[in-house]
Amino acid sequence: MPGKSDISCGYVHKPHNLTCGESCNEKGCQGNNDASQKVFVHPISDRVRKLSYSVTGYKIIRRKVEYVRPIVKFENCRILRGHDLIKDDFWISGPNIVDPEDLFFNLKMMPDKVIDCKGAIVAPGFIDVQINGGFGVDFAYDISRVEEAVVTVAKGVLAHGVTSFCPTLVSSMPEVYKEVLPFLKKRSGGKHGAEVLGAHVEGPFINEEKKGAHDPATMQTFAKGLESVRDVYKHLDAVCIITLAPELPNAVGVCRQLTDAGIIVSVGHSMASIAEGEEAVKNGAAFITHLFNAMLPFHHRDPGLVGLLASEKIPEGRTIYYGIIADGNHTHPATTRIAYRAYPKGIVLVTDACSAMGLSEGVYHIGQQVIEVTGTKAYVKGTTTLAGSVATMISCIHYFWKTTSCSIVEALEAATLHPALLLNIDDRKGTLDFGTDADFVLLDPTNLEVQSTWIAGERVYEKPVCKPEV
């Protein structure tokens, strides 16, 4: 943990990278780096960098903050910060969230614009780590127009408060991954759509007995260990999360190697016992894909993967995160409440949305499977097997909030802080800490409806205002 001197002397002058006490000899520069003022002002630049510290859980995060214009002040709002909703002003500078005290009192910088939030909640932008498609497209089906599919979904989810997501592929043939994954690599967000965090490949290294809506003809094994993974996906550099069945031969070793490579391992679509799940977690697995679905049901003598929520064999200091599809169809309300009460810090709300999200009833696809949507349920055609959901992230948050009677803060953090912690991106997303990305949403405090969505300090969606008829 840094000492006091590290924090107080963290100011850095751009472009010279001077620390406290140093001076600049560049021609035309009349300033000096006064340690007592803790700021260096260069006459030919109004950009100042500050090294700041933020605490997320038990982690100390060091951030560089660069003040750039426009500087915007949001007032009359409640900010989700520090696991609480606080009444305060919210400031952004260009693409970052900034400390108003430093800006106003130390740098004497005034906002270029002031926005009255009219009592709205300011929350971090939502992060969806499992979304198969939406608005008529599916990432694993529309392989001839993947770029269009990514753009369509990235743009469409803005209205539902999502600022970043992991495009998800259900189990597919190797040629599909070879064709599609290059289009699912990380890319920045903006007015064109939400940020892409990399792909979530859900299968095909799963257990056929728990295939769910996945095509059994696509199933693969770890016959050659990690080499099998490379052979199937081809583009591992595009992958953020891999869902696999930990009971498959060689799976545990693959868990360790993928984790060492920086890929998040999730267990799911599995017949694993609790012991097999624990072994996977010891070797790096960090997530459970859609808890309760496509896994052994809870049993009092062997609770299976569900038992990981209460396991005493999880390595000390580790959190096991788990996805919940809070759409009212994938889990009974009582089941959702059990998970929340047993292990609230691990809940990650996911939509698991299929191509029908945002559209009406009809026939659609998830991967190569044909699905039928009736009401709010999507089934593999001719069966009673659920095939993803038609839920949006904000609807999942609202359902979870009402069903569990949790606080608004807990409901929102399940779609913001928790997925950011899972993906190890909480130094820039999932919070409204100073120095993080200015990805956030304004919500109606009475019903959590999305009023506007912002990415990198830019408003990318605003709820239409219905004008009264004259």
Side-chain angles (χ1 to χ4, degrees):
M1 186 168 178
K4 269 190 173 180
S5 60
D6 293 322
I7 297 175
S8 61
C9 294
Y11 289 81
V12 177
H13 165 51
K14 182 183 180 181
H16 312 291
N17 293 327
L18 300 177
T19 55
C20 276
E22 295 182 318
S23 58
C24 175
N25 297 316
E26 183 180 288
K27 186 176 180 181
C29 176
Q30 305 299 318
N32 62 58
N33 196 10
D34 188 343
S36 65
Q37 295 181 2
K38 295 188 291 188
V39 65
F40 185 96
V41 180
H42 196 294
I44 58 175
S45 173
D46 65 351
R47 297 189 176 198
V48 179
R49 279 187 183 175
K50 170 191 170 187
L51 296 182
S52 63
Y53 287 86
S54 176
V55 179
T56 302
Y58 296 102
K59 219 166 28 172
I60 304 295
I61 300 167
R62 197 175 193 221
R63 300 192 176 96
K64 285 185 179 181
V65 181
E66 185 179 82
Y67 297 124
V68 297
R69 297 191 183 279
I71 295 169
V72 183
K73 172 187 173 184
F74 297 78
E75 61 184 15
N76 191 16
C77 56
R78 294 165 68 199
I79 308 169
L80 175 54
R81 182 176 286 153
H83 311 296
D84 198 6
L85 285 174
I86 58 174
K87 289 184 178 181
D88 202 352
D89 295 335
F90 177 70
W91 291 57
I92 62 174
S93 171
N96 297 115
I97 298 166
V98 293
D99 181 355
E101 183 175 336
D102 183 62
L103 260 181
F104 185 74
F105 293 105
N106 293 337
L107 303 181
K108 312 299 182 186
M109 297 176 78
M110 299 296 290
D112 300 300
K113 186 176 183 180
V114 177
I115 295 176
D116 183 357
C117 297
K118 298 179 171 58
I121 292 173
V122 181
F126 307 146
I127 303 169
D128 195 348
V129 302
Q130 187 176 4
I131 175 170
N132 308 289
F135 315 103
V137 295
D138 178 273
F139 301 122
Y141 176 74
D142 297 286
I143 59 176
S144 63
R145 54 189 187 109
V146 185
E147 178 63 21
E148 179 187 340
V150 174
V151 170
T152 297
V153 173
K155 185 72 173 179
V157 296
L158 297 178
H160 308 289
V162 175
T163 56
S164 51
F165 69 107
C166 295
T168 305
L169 300 175
V170 294
S171 297
S172 303
M173 292 297 187
E175 54 267 28
V176 173
Y177 296 113
K178 182 180 179 181
E179 183 75 23
V180 173
L181 281 175
F183 293 94
L184 306 187
K185 292 181 180 181
K186 295 178 182 178
R187 63 174 80 178
S188 299
K191 281 193 172 180
H192 57 277
E195 180 173 340
V196 175
L197 299 170
H200 178 169
V201 283
E202 187 186 0
F205 299 95
I206 60 177
N207 195 314
E208 188 174 335
E209 292 187 58
K210 290 295 179 182
K211 66 182 186 301
H214 293 230
D215 183 355
T218 64
M219 303 292 106
Q220 299 279 349
T221 67
F222 297 114
K224 297 187 292 181
L226 187 63
E227 196 61 34
S228 297
V229 177
R230 292 196 179 101
D231 288 346
V232 169
Y233 296 133
K234 302 298 184 186
H235 304 281
L236 267 180
D237 59 324
V239 175
C240 179
I241 305 173
I242 291 180
T243 292
L244 55 82
E247 71 274 18
L248 296 182
N250 298 326
V252 171
V254 170
C255 281
R256 173 48 56 198
Q257 290 172 296
L258 290 172
T259 300
D260 290 344
I263 294 173
I264 306 300
V265 175
S266 183
V267 293
H269 286 276
S270 166
M271 294 285 287
S273 65
I274 185 172
E276 289 168 324
E278 289 167 339
E279 194 61 28
V281 173
K282 289 176 186 176
N283 283 274
F287 192 49
I288 307 172
T289 296
H290 45 51
L291 188 73
F292 300 115
N293 298 111
M295 61 186 61
L296 287 175
F298 182 89
H299 189 279
H300 58 284
R301 283 193 288 273
D302 189 340
L305 295 180
V306 177
L308 293 175
L309 275 61
S311 173
E312 294 182 335
K313 295 185 180 180
I314 301 299
E316 187 176 354
R318 287 278 304 280
T319 298
I320 183 71
Y321 294 96
Y322 58 95
I324 286 284
I325 308 169
D327 65 346
N329 298 320
H330 280 79
T331 56
H332 189 279
T335 308
T336 304
R337 285 191 289 271
I338 287 170
Y340 160 67
R341 292 171 186 173
Y343 202 68
K345 68 178 181 178
I347 284 186
V348 174
L349 295 179
V350 299
T351 61
D352 196 21
C354 68
S355 56
M357 179 182 69
L359 302 177
S360 58
E361 296 181 349
V363 177
Y364 299 90
H365 287 85
I366 187 165
Q368 302 308 308
Q369 300 275 55
V370 179
I371 60 176
E372 284 185 304
V373 175
T374 304
T376 63
K377 296 180 180 180
Y379 295 110
V380 175
K381 189 173 182 179
T383 75
T384 57
T385 300
L386 287 170
S389 83
V390 296
T392 64
M393 182 55 78
I394 191 60
S395 71
C396 288
I397 293 169
H398 193 273
Y399 176 86
F400 179 70
W401 174 39
K402 293 298 185 182
T403 299
T404 63
S405 298
C406 69
S407 67
I408 291 178
V409 168
E410 289 175 303
L412 292 173
E413 288 190 338
T416 55
L417 176 61
H418 295 183
L421 288 167
L422 164 68
L423 300 180
N424 298 310
I425 57 172
D426 54 301
D427 60 331
R428 60 189 182 91
K429 296 192 184 297
T431 77
L432 299 181
D433 289 347
F434 303 140
T436 57
D437 295 349
D439 295 355
F440 58 95
V441 291
L442 266 61
L443 305 171
D444 186 312
T446 61
N447 56 21
L448 297 186
E449 285 187 1
V450 176
Q451 296 179 342
S452 62
T453 304
W454 300 66
I455 294 178
E458 185 178 28
R459 182 161 46 203
V460 295
Y461 166 80
E462 186 170 22
K463 181 182 177 182
V465 177
C466 295
K467 296 181 179 179
E469 294 184 10
V470 179

